[in-house]
Amino acid sequence: MSYADVNGVRLWYEIHGTGRPLVLLHGGYGAVEMFAPILPALAERRQVILVDLQGHGRTADVDRPLRFESMADDVAALIRHLDLPEADLLGYSLGGGVALRTAIQHPGLVRRLALVSSPCKRQGWYPEVLAAMATQDERVAEQMRGTPPHELYTRVARRPADWPTLWVKTGDLLRQEYDWSAEVAALAMPVLLVFADADSIPVTHMAEFFGLLGGGHRDAGWDGANRPAARLAVLPGLTHYDIVTAPALPAAVLPFLTHEVRPPA
């Protein structure tokens, strides 16, 4: 458990377990504790590196906007700081956007990529979710005081008074339009998409995202020879808000990280 000084940010990270490195990136308004329920299952098989992103958890905010691209550069700089030739990445929700941008901007550092409940374009969220994102500001931050995310932030943040700032800057981030479809289609590493069957992202976008990665275009064949490198998991009985704590998540992710990839015939 330590800090890495990268790109002008003192980035908090923790390392658990041994083996091939797996970097975990939490969702919005969260911290490394978000992965506590599934950490033992992952750390039993991998060296797990958990990161508090800019302005979240123990990583204090700095004088720059919150952007997926700059946070991705921070993650890449941390991988280099730890002297890792490459790492597997798992990102959830907002952290999924950061993980995806890391793979796009720094493909040589990412061996495999797992994205949990995260779209590849802003319009991939349900309209009502986008409407809620548009309202996130200091007033909502006040309404969220006393909730579990606020209690965690108050307990671990270097500057607990920055809680409203986190909401203002996150709201600004979430109102930015983006569509990374073309860059997704160009990714060369294997990618796993994991969603809940009652997610904040419609099934139509899940299929679209998977299709960009080469999935869902043809039958794999009796021997699986035409299977794409990408994989798709839709976990039953879960939502966007509890998928990250479900035992079904590491059960889906761990086989993806270890299976042999062969090019389609």
Side-chain angles (χ1 to χ4, degrees):
M1 302 180 184
S2 186
Y3 283 102
D5 293 313
V6 298
N7 302 334
V9 180
R10 293 203 75 213
L11 204 64
W12 173 263
Y13 69 94
E14 301 179 7
I15 299 178
H16 301 261
T18 60
R20 187 183 291 275
L22 170 65
V23 178
L24 304 187
L25 304 178
H26 60 77
Y29 310 109
V32 299
E33 283 80 1
M34 188 171 279
F35 292 108
I38 63 170
L39 178 59
L42 295 174
E44 185 178 357
R45 301 266 297 275
R46 308 300 295 265
Q47 180 189 69
V48 179
I49 303 165
L50 303 103
V51 183
D52 280 346
L53 298 169
Q54 176 192 339
H56 291 76
R58 297 160 184 81
T59 299
D61 194 22
V62 292
D63 187 18
R64 72 178 193 194
L66 278 183
R67 293 293 182 266
F68 292 111
E69 294 81 359
S70 57
M71 289 188 284
D73 286 340
D74 295 342
V75 173
L78 175 64
I79 293 172
R80 295 189 179 100
H81 173 83
L82 296 174
D83 199 26
L84 304 176
E86 61 180 7
D88 296 334
L89 263 61
L90 184 154
Y92 161 66
S93 194
L94 180 142
V98 177
L100 179 53
R101 287 307 314 178
T102 305
I104 290 169
Q105 295 164 210
H106 306 274
L109 295 178
V110 181
R111 173 182 169 269
R112 297 194 182 186
L113 176 66
L115 304 175
V116 182
S117 290
S118 187
C120 66
K121 61 182 181 181
R122 186 172 181 271
Q123 296 304 317
W125 299 99
Y126 278 117
E128 60 268 31
V129 176
L130 290 173
M133 290 176 176
T135 68
Q136 295 183 15
D137 57 16
E138 65 275 4
R139 292 170 297 178
V140 179
E142 289 301 312
Q143 296 168 9
M144 293 296 291
R145 289 187 182 276
T147 63
H150 176 250
E151 291 175 353
L152 172 62
Y153 188 86
T154 300
R155 187 168 74 249
V156 305
R158 295 178 65 190
R159 297 195 301 263
D162 282 356
W163 176 250
T165 302
L166 176 60
W167 280 79
V168 170
K169 296 179 82 167
T170 303
D172 178 61
L173 167 66
L174 298 179
R175 287 186 288 271
Q176 302 292 318
E177 285 294 338
Y178 62 91
D179 185 344
W180 303 324
S181 298
E183 293 160 299
V184 165
L187 289 174
M189 77 284 293
V191 181
L192 169 67
L193 303 179
V194 187
F195 298 98
D197 62 353
D199 215 306
S200 300
I201 297 160
V203 174
T204 51
H205 182 68
M206 300 176 196
E208 177 188 1
F209 199 164
F210 189 46
L212 291 170
L213 295 163
H217 296 299
R218 58 178 176 173
D219 176 64
W222 67 270
D223 60 351
N226 294 322
R227 175 189 293 279
R231 290 190 172 185
L232 171 66
V234 180
L235 305 183
L238 299 172
T239 71
H240 184 81
Y241 309 98
D242 61 7
I243 189 173
V244 73
T245 64
L249 180 55
V253 169
L254 287 169
F256 163 75
L257 297 177
T258 57
H259 81 281
E260 181 182 355
V261 176
R262 56 181 177 177

